[in-house]
Amino acid sequence: MLPFDHHKFLGYVAEVTPGYIRVQMPSALHLTSFYHQGEVYTGGNVGCFVVVEGPEYGFLGRLFELTLTQVERQAITEQNLQQSEQTFHPVAKVELLALFSVYAPEKIVKTVSRYPAIGAKVFSCSNEQIGHYISTFGLQDINIGHTPFVPLGKLTSNGQECQVSLDSLFGRHCAVLGTTGGGKSWTVAKLIELYTQYTQNKCILIDATGEYSSISDQMENIEMGTGEYIFDYKNLTVDEMFYLLHPSAKVQVPKLMEAIRSLKMAEIDVNETLKGYYAKDSNDPTKVIRGNLYKSGNPKRPLQVFYYKHITEIEDRSCRFNFNMLASQITLECIWDTDSKIPNNFGGRNENDVSNCVSLISRVNNISSTGEYNQIFGFNKEKLEGESKDLTTVIDEFLAGDKSCLRIDFSQVSFDYQVREILVNAIGKFMLYKARDQKFKSSPVVIFIDEAHQFLNKAIADEYFAAKPLDAFEQISKEARKYGLFLCIATQMPRDIPLGTLSQMGTFIVHRLINEQDKKAVESAASSANRNSLAYLPILGEGEALMVGVDFPMPLTLKINAPVNKPNSNTPKFTKR
């Protein structure tokens, strides 16, 4: 690979700054495309790659601006431009991207420690050289021969095919950004297609609209919101149960926690150690009705002994108790701490506490009777048609099975009561706990979240309930990479994604962005994307994207290859009268 060839000469370095160099071209004829040894070179057009000669190191750059002096502009005519000895001398600005050793030009690094000299020669960069550089992004010596490379797209400047490392794409999380119609959905479908085709790993797709139902034959489809599949409420964490119930901090939170502990104790007490704490059936005084614990008037000691004996199970993060007993148990917790006559016993009913917990009890009953909640979390499974299957079990079976992608369809999930956000957060928490248990260390998993702005950066709050953030995926973005769990989020509104999550994305595939706040969000999060690169965002065509990342020493503008099986993302058309 010869980086410097006088047949590809463009001009000389006339000015050097920290951000760019200025190149003086001897003739405007260097701007036109030309053939050399059967290969097309794009000359000195905006967006083209160039190489700058140096004594020890060469420099790779991209041309982003062309100008003529004011006098030469006034003399522009078609006849003058076509003359072999014309007097136009264009000046180009070139963004420096990386440098390479003259003696080993096949490997490049990104650095600002060296700059070209004034008078250094500038040459057009060959497709072979650019293609070779792209194929080495993210490749380490220890991974040679093992890293999967995939044909993601072609450079818009010269049509060179880009073979990109999947380790570079997903190894530090990935974000696909762009306004509606820019090709974002096709890119997500292509990424899933390449991921399932070139690796043996698993991925999970959160499909917000149902448009990805037929993009792969390696896909297992799960439709939420119909009751056929549920995320069993017993697999929720206590914090997530709080998201649903909105308890006020002063009175309701302590009573709710005590009620949950009591119901867990009732579930654990299979041998009826606490038999005296259960209600008796009115028709048969010896028959125990399991479920609620009646503390009022009963001694404290046996309950305390049982609690400390099973404290690990009682204080774990799960909600393994009978939710249908929760409203009545909260009422039963509204008692005085101590009986005034028998200090070792619980006291009687406290009407003041009952009054303070009325709204909480009402919310519990409302959740228990709301169909949207029941079809997602299965609070009343007997009211659902057929037998429901727990989503956590489905995920475990998928991870152990043959399919490569699990698509969880949210198109039938209600937008009411923040059910969608809570459900996605619960899935994220479930996967995070599995990652912390080292389940993905040897076989990494990628979670794709389409329309991520619908689920991330959300919080549960009302006038009585302190806001609680739904931050499962922010935690995944910050800590799960070392456990082998990776994120790929897709959104048309990057400004609505938490900056903490966006800043953890190591790779950005950015389609057309027009909104200034969205561009600023990308600029803040993608440190390797400078203003010259981001200037292309508003004018990118359909399917074109700017790719920047930690493992990509330079930003690339690509035309993403179309997926074999396209998502159903067409906009409904109007009918002519």
Side-chain angles (χ1 to χ4, degrees):
M1 182 169 61
L2 299 174
F4 311 123
D5 187 338
H6 72 276
H7 293 98
K8 313 172 197 172
F9 175 74
L10 293 178
Y12 299 94
V13 175
E15 180 183 354
V16 180
T17 72
Y20 65 91
I21 62 172
R22 199 183 299 271
V23 178
Q24 183 70 54
M25 296 183 179
S27 170
L29 296 177
H30 291 90
L31 300 179
T32 58
S33 300
F34 59 94
Y35 283 89
H36 176 60
Q37 295 181 348
E39 185 176 355
V40 179
Y41 290 86
T42 50
N45 296 324
V46 170
C48 295
F49 292 97
V50 299
V51 287
V52 184
E53 193 177 39
E56 296 181 39
Y57 290 94
F59 301 85
L60 180 66
R62 180 166 51 192
L63 197 152
F64 68 91
E65 184 179 302
L66 277 171
T67 58
L68 289 174
T69 64
Q70 183 63 33
V71 175
E72 290 180 346
R73 288 180 213 161
Q74 296 174 352
I76 292 179
T77 64
E78 184 176 355
Q79 181 178 0
N80 289 342
L81 288 173
Q82 293 177 350
Q83 289 179 359
S84 58
E85 298 183 359
Q86 44 91 352
T87 58
F88 296 110
H89 307 90
V91 177
K93 284 186 179 180
V94 174
E95 172 191 3
L96 292 177
L97 302 174
L99 61 83
F100 55 87
S101 171
V102 171
Y103 308 105
E106 68 278 359
K107 188 174 182 181
I108 66 172
V109 293
K110 182 165 185 174
T111 179
V112 293
S113 59
R114 299 174 183 272
Y115 290 92
I118 296 291
K121 293 181 179 180
V122 181
F123 304 87
S124 180
C125 187
S126 68
N127 294 349
E128 176 194 5
Q129 189 173 356
I130 287 294
H132 177 80
Y133 289 154
I134 295 169
S135 67
T136 62
F137 290 170
L139 183 63
Q140 301 176 3
D141 292 339
I142 58 174
N143 295 329
I144 293 177
H146 302 285
T147 300
F149 283 86
V150 298
L152 181 61
K154 297 179 174 64
L155 289 176
T156 57
S157 59
N158 56 13
Q160 173 65 29
E161 183 76 49
C162 292
Q163 295 283 338
V164 182
S165 161
L166 286 180
D167 286 332
S168 299
L169 279 175
F170 299 121
R172 289 181 173 85
H173 308 304
C174 178
V176 181
L177 313 175
T179 55
T180 301
K184 175 170 49 65
S185 298
W186 281 31
T187 298
V188 172
K190 188 64 180 179
L191 290 174
I192 294 175
E193 174 190 302
L194 295 172
Y195 182 86
T196 56
Q197 182 179 350
Y198 285 83
T199 75
Q200 299 178 1
N201 299 83
K202 307 279 188 177
C203 66
I204 295 175
L205 169 62
I206 306 295
D207 187 355
T209 59
E211 61 182 309
Y212 297 95
S213 58
S214 59
I215 62 170
S216 174
D217 56 2
Q218 288 294 312
M219 180 178 285
E220 180 179 346
N221 295 292
I222 298 299
E223 187 175 27
M224 302 298 295
T226 63
E228 181 181 359
Y229 296 92
I230 61 171
F231 192 100
D232 196 314
Y233 73 88
K234 292 185 178 181
N235 293 320
L236 294 172
T237 64
V238 172
D239 281 345
E240 288 163 342
M241 186 63 72
F242 274 39
Y243 297 155
L244 294 169
L245 299 178
H246 299 196
S248 61
K250 293 183 179 180
V251 178
Q252 295 181 357
V253 166
K255 295 302 179 185
L256 177 58
M257 283 305 305
E258 283 303 315
I260 290 175
R261 292 188 184 104
S262 296
L263 293 176
K264 282 188 173 185
M265 291 166 72
E267 290 283 321
I268 295 168
D269 188 23
V270 293
N271 297 321
E272 297 187 0
T273 304
L274 305 172
K275 189 170 183 178
Y277 291 83
Y278 300 115
K280 306 297 189 296
D281 187 278
S282 58
N283 298 322
D284 184 358
T286 63
K287 183 179 179 182
V288 175
I289 300 176
R290 302 303 304 277
N292 288 126
L293 280 182
Y294 287 75
K295 299 178 180 178
S296 179
N298 282 320
K300 297 180 181 180
R301 181 68 179 170
L303 211 59
Q304 292 170 345
V305 171
F306 185 90
Y307 171 78
Y308 286 109
K309 184 179 179 181
H310 300 278
I311 189 170
T312 302
E313 300 162 84
I314 296 170
E315 296 295 351
D316 69 359
R317 57 179 178 257
S318 73
C319 291
R320 300 191 180 279
F321 60 86
N322 190 341
F323 186 84
N324 293 319
M325 296 289 185
L326 185 57
S328 55
Q329 188 63 48
I330 293 172
T331 304
L332 294 174
E333 298 295 336
C334 295
I335 58 176
W336 296 101
D337 293 337
T338 304
D339 191 320
S340 58
K341 296 180 180 180
I342 309 175
N344 291 328
N345 286 9
F346 291 102
R349 180 181 171 105
N350 185 334
E351 295 296 340
N352 191 40
D353 284 354
V354 174
S355 298
N356 288 328
C357 289
V358 166
S359 60
L360 174 61
I361 295 169
S362 175
R363 284 194 290 271
V364 172
N365 288 326
N366 181 57
I367 286 173
S368 182
S369 60
T370 300
E372 287 84 353
Y373 283 128
N374 193 34
Q375 289 176 331
I376 296 299
F377 300 112
F379 293 113
N380 284 306
K381 297 185 184 68
E382 63 276 5
K383 293 184 179 180
L384 297 173
E385 296 181 6
E387 186 176 350
S388 299
K389 193 166 185 180
D390 182 29
L391 182 59
T392 59
T393 303
V394 173
I395 292 175
D396 286 335
E397 292 174 352
F398 160 73
L399 293 174
D402 298 327
K403 295 289 187 179
S404 299
C405 181
L406 175 64
R407 184 183 73 93
I408 306 176
D409 187 349
F410 276 68
S411 59
Q412 299 301 315
V413 179
S414 172
F415 283 86
D416 296 329
Y417 311 112
Q418 293 189 289
V419 170
R420 295 166 69 93
E421 297 93 318
I422 295 172
L423 174 57
V424 169
N425 193 73
I427 295 171
K429 273 282 175 64
F430 175 74
M431 295 298 292
L432 177 60
Y433 291 142
K434 290 184 76 69
R436 287 171 176 169
D437 291 338
Q438 310 292 319
K439 300 296 185 182
F440 310 131
K441 196 78 174 180
S442 59
S443 183
V445 173
V446 177
I447 301 177
F448 291 84
I449 308 179
D450 188 43
E451 305 294 347
H453 56 276
Q454 294 185 12
F455 309 114
L456 307 187
N457 203 22
K458 303 297 181 181
I460 306 297
D462 63 21
E463 56 183 324
Y464 304 110
F465 177 69
K468 280 186 172 291
L470 299 173
D471 60 353
F473 285 97
E474 185 164 355
Q475 293 181 49
I476 289 175
S477 70
K478 291 178 179 178
E479 65 172 283
R481 180 172 64 89
K482 59 181 177 289
Y483 300 129
L485 182 62
F486 303 103
L487 280 180
C488 180
I489 63 174
T491 178
Q492 55 187 293
M493 292 186 288
R495 64 185 182 278
D496 287 346
I497 302 299
L499 186 57
T501 302
L502 207 60
S503 62
Q504 294 298 318
M505 299 294 110
T507 303
F508 288 84
I509 301 176
V510 191
H511 291 273
R512 183 174 64 247
L513 281 179
I514 300 174
N515 185 280
E516 196 63 33
Q517 290 179 314
D518 289 333
K519 289 190 289 183
K520 287 181 179 178
V522 175
E523 184 178 349
S524 300
S527 58
S528 57
N530 57 34
R531 293 183 181 275
N532 294 331
S533 300
L534 296 176
Y536 291 97
L537 294 182
I539 58 174
L540 290 172
E542 185 176 354
E544 295 179 349
L546 176 70
M547 186 165 67
V548 295
V550 175
D551 284 338
F552 297 91
M554 59 189 187
L556 300 172
T557 307
L558 306 178
K559 175 74 172 180
I560 305 295
N561 291 335
V564 175
N565 299 309
K566 301 171 179 57
N568 183 20
S569 55
N570 294 329
T571 303
K573 304 296 183 183
F574 294 99
T575 304
K576 181 179 179 180
R577 185 183 291 276

